[in-house]
Amino acid sequence: MSLTAEAIQSLVTGKHGDPFAVLGPHPSRDGSVTVRAFLPGAAEVAVVVADGGAVLAPPLKLVHRDGLWEGKLAKRPPAAYRLRVKDGLGHVTEVEDPYRFPPTLSGFDLHLLGEGTHYRVYDKLGAHAATLDGVDGIIFAVWAPNAKRVSVVGDWNRWDGRIHPMRLHPGNGVWELFLPGVAEGARYKFEILSGSGAPLALKSDPYAFGFEPDEPRTASVVERLDGYAWGDGAWLAERGRRQALDAPMSVYEVHLGSWRHVPEEGHRSLDYRHAAEQLADYVTELGFTHVELLPVMEHPFYASWGYQTLGYYAPTRRFGRPHDFMAFVDHLHQRGIGVLLDWVPAHFPRDPHGLAYFDGTHLYEHADPREREHPDWGTRVFNYGRREVANFLIGNALFWLERYHADGLRVDAVASMIYRDYSRKAGEWVPNVFGGRENLEAIAFLKRLNEVVYGTHPGAVTVAEESTAWPMVSRPVHLGGLGFGLKWNMGWMHDVLEYLRHEPVHRKHHHNQLTFGMLYAWSENFVLPLSHDEVVHGKASLLAKMPGDDWQRFANLRLLYAFMWAYPGKKLLFMGGEFGQSAEWNHDQSLDWHLLGMGPYHRGLQRLVADLNRLYRAEPSLHQQDCEPAGFAWMDCSDAQQSVVAFARFARDQGRLTLCVCNFTPVPRHGYRVGVPLPGLYREALNSDSGFYGGSDVGNGGGVHSDPQPWHGQPHSVLLSLPPLGAVWLTRTDG
């Protein structure tokens, strides 16, 4: 026996950190080869030639009763030898020896992983099907630099961490192992024995492409992403044009689990493929350009809506497997609909099988609790200053763009990333190296993220949910910005919703809430969001926020949408808002689709949204200069007494304009004069008070001609009838 008693004990108790030093074939100077295998439960083990089955030597000897076998071959065995194993019942099987295969990570891979610039890291870490020496299996790899021993465990080895310990690349802490015979669909985890003395940990794979379908969804699953035949080439070829700042972008925000349930199967949500068909039909009917999904990355806590992501590289198994989600994106693309994904690099949950305390140390998160703990959500904050952690996240962003053809990422909770004192009291946070509150590492990470995303996928878009006045969020990095393409306009959303909560008689005292947004409208490339966050946790649905009786509430909501769609910026509306969902959003229930059959108001509101989208997309003046001052001008923003605002939107051809006039009181205003910059026929393109939408049909008979009477500082004017709690859009034509 060539092993020491200490080495044997270390192997059979699962504490040996260098299994390739003792298991597998080991040549001697005399030309002989010693083969060792750890096979608990085996009664007899022999080395055989793989292609012929000939036994190369006498059976191996049992050197420890727990299953450690050893034998000496007179000469070096062929590379493709196998182990013939007989169990205690006399059953004989032949198995490959994982410890005869060489390392699978190249020196270049290890170098890039070490410096944190391996942006296709998901192709190397995790679980990947491979064929080595003609043998099919799975290469497992995981980053755990502070582990004493890491094993891959699963159904095939009875979750016994002693059987398949992994090879360590000590330079950067990556462990890897090729396991022959493991196939697609196998469940697995990494069993980690920490060098810190922490208890033995069973961790899901940070780079797993899938998770088990049933609760508790803690085990990773081997999934293959290749083999899907994409059909969205035409969409991808013109995506850059469709997502440019001068293109219309109207986003329908969706939580897949509660958008619509399958009627014949009770409360089961649609799966990815069925949802794609129904969602594409619906979004096309309503004219939205994009769908934005609340996080579909795997999350154990359903009520987090996906914002407590654990499986960053896996679409949730609740609705299907990876190819099913590819089919979802593909189908929407083929219908001309973009797909944006909510993405959460700000924090992660503390579930024991996840990233937290991964290798017995605070690997992905900060060690200092003042930096580590997120007080709002009870989660952990990523350590953005660690190269490998930044690589994990940037690689993840690219993964969804590359492998799932996502058109962009809406980055959640950016404000919580860039401020060290976010939601923290004095003494509960750590200043940066200059004594300030800015998280310099997070800022550098976000800049690098956007540089890499736009450098590798120039047609994609990144959108920041950033709720403060941090400057230049949506400006290029080389000009000093964070590099995002767009930013949610939380200030506009807050001001306008607060304004509309007031009874109309009081609105004249809050007029500046309607107009203040234009003071900063050109500081960023804005999205106007009426998102899921505004219709939960006691905030009431959009409809329920509106004052008055049913007629007034729906009129107010139609007015809000008409004002929003004419206002500069891209549009976002959470599901249910388009037809006036009455109750708050409940993630456990389907939307109240039955409301569309109850009276004229819900259906009318839905018709209005469809027409708003149609006109917004068709009329260049409403989108072409969304992010440019030349695209907007107040005609009058000072009529607080009557709660009326009037503004014009311009195409790059300044002769092409749309006039929007909004009356925020329930009083019809006839003979209301509004200044206009150019003469012509002003055709009434939209009236939110139309009977078609459930309104009272106060309007302008299809349009009005301008008069050469100066008004509001403009050389011409039009005389209008303003509907109660209504907005009119008038597009100008010569003549």
Side-chain angles (χ1 to χ4, degrees), residues 288-421:
F288 289 97
T289 65
H290 287 71
V291 166
E292 180 178 314
L293 301 180
L294 272 62
V296 296
M297 301 79 184
E298 190 61 83
H299 49 285
F301 183 42
Y302 181 69
S304 76
W305 316 328
Y307 290 101
Q308 292 196 12
T309 300
L310 189 141
Y312 274 81
Y313 285 82
T316 179
R317 187 64 183 271
R318 291 174 176 89
F319 314 120
R321 296 177 64 183
H323 280 195
D324 298 319
F325 186 58
M326 291 178 185
F328 174 92
V329 177
D330 196 10
H331 185 79
L332 265 65
H333 281 175
Q334 292 186 48
R335 297 287 299 275
I337 301 162
V339 180
L340 307 177
L341 302 180
D342 274 15
W343 184 59
V344 190
H347 60 113
F348 60 90
R350 294 184 291 186
D351 299 65
H353 65 287
L355 298 177
Y357 211 57
F358 188 77
D359 63 354
T361 67
H362 297 293
L363 188 63
Y364 286 87
E365 70 269 38
H366 293 276
D368 190 324
R370 295 172 297 172
E371 299 179 276
R372 180 177 71 231
E373 305 297 332
H374 205 301
D376 284 354
W377 303 305
T379 51
R380 296 284 169 85
V381 177
F382 282 105
N383 183 354
Y384 306 104
R386 190 159 196 167
R387 294 189 303 270
E388 298 90 343
V389 174
N391 198 166
F392 169 80
L393 291 169
I394 293 176
N396 185 240
L398 297 177
F399 170 79
W400 293 102
L401 300 173
E402 178 73 25
R403 302 307 295 267
Y404 285 96
H405 291 200
D407 299 299
L409 301 171
R410 177 266 193 185
V411 182
D412 181 63
V414 170
S416 77
M417 299 171 66
I418 60 180
Y419 294 103
R420 286 176 165 266
D421 62 345

Side-chain angles (χ1 to χ4, degrees), residues 202-271:
L202 272 176
K203 294 289 188 177
S204 59
D205 181 0
Y207 290 87
F209 293 156
F211 279 74
E212 59 188 341
D214 301 318
E215 298 293 345
R217 289 192 180 88
T218 60
S220 305
V221 171
V222 175
E223 292 277 12
R224 299 188 67 151
L225 302 188
D226 55 349
Y228 181 80
W230 288 91
D232 62 350
W235 166 268
L236 294 177
E238 62 174 16
R239 179 174 68 181
R241 178 185 63 79
R242 288 174 176 258
Q243 298 191 155
L245 290 178
D246 62 358
M249 179 178 284
S250 179
V251 182
Y252 187 57
E253 190 189 28
V254 175
H255 177 258
L256 273 180
S258 56
W259 180 65
R260 183 173 287 173
H261 290 157
V262 182
E264 63 272 17
E265 298 187 38
H267 294 297
R268 188 178 73 81
S269 300
L270 294 168
D271 59 37

Side-chain angles (χ1 to χ4, degrees), residues 589-612:
Q589 298 178 4
S590 174
L591 294 180
D592 293 333
W593 295 101
H594 65 276
L595 294 175
L596 288 168
M598 299 176 62
Y601 295 145
H602 295 282
R603 180 69 71 181
L605 182 63
Q606 188 188 54
R607 289 170 175 164
L608 173 69
V609 170
D611 281 351
L612 290 172

Side-chain angles (χ1 to χ4, degrees), residues 1 5 8-9 11-13 37-40 42 61-70 162:
M1 183 171 64
I8 292 172
Q9 187 65 19
L11 268 174
V12 300
T13 57
F38 184 65
L39 296 164
K61 295 180 180 179
L62 182 65
V63 297
H64 193 282
R65 64 180 181 274
D66 283 357
L68 180 61
W69 298 81
E70 179 184 272
R162 301 174 302 160

Side-chain angles (χ1 to χ4, degrees), residues 124-147:
K124 299 301 177 180
L125 299 187
H128 299 277
T131 301
L132 300 184
D133 293 338
V135 177
D136 293 334
I138 303 295
I139 299 171
F140 294 93
V142 63
W143 177 58
N146 303 299

